[in-house]
């Protein structure tokens, strides 16, 4: 048997397995509770939030944000509606004049 078909088949299988391992979870296919539990268990996770959008979400109380960023409340669409999550943002200090 020629080596070329074996090598190309093995490469295709390896590529498919690798791409599946790095697939981002899609928040639109999960319930809000599943999404929140995933974030809590992994401490921070990159979620697909739309057809061409994604973002990194973190636990509310933890040190997953780089200084000076802090966890801020955000809402994303999940299978069962809007879901409250947190993402890192720089705080806005809007002091009155």
């Amino acid at each position: 048997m020629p080596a070329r078909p074996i090598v190309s088949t093995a490469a295709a299988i390896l590529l498919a397995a690798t791409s599946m391992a790095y697939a981002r979870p899609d928040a639109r296919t999960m319930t809000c509770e599943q999404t929140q539990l995933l974030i809590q268990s992994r401490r921070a996770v990159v979620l697909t939030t739309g057809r061409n959008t994604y973002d990194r979400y973190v636990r509310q109380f933890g040190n997953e944000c780089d200084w000076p960023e802090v966890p801020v409340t955000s809402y994303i669409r999940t299978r069962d509606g809007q879901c409250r999550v947190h993402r890192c943002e720089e705080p806005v200090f809007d002091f009155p004049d």
Side-chain angles (χ1 to χ4, degrees), residues 39-85:
I39 294 168
Q40 288 297 320
S41 68
R42 293 189 184 175
R43 302 169 79 164
V45 64
V46 177
L47 295 173
T48 297
T49 56
R51 184 173 176 190
N52 297 312
T53 58
Y54 60 91
D55 207 346
R56 181 175 180 264
Y57 297 95
V58 298
R59 302 181 302 162
Q60 181 178 7
F61 301 108
N63 57 354
E64 287 75 28
C65 296
D66 293 333
W67 190 87
E69 295 181 334
V70 295
V72 295
T73 300
S74 180
Y75 291 89
I76 59 173
R77 187 172 46 132
T78 56
R79 187 173 61 194
D80 55 353
Q82 294 290 317
C83 185
R84 182 176 176 227
V85 293

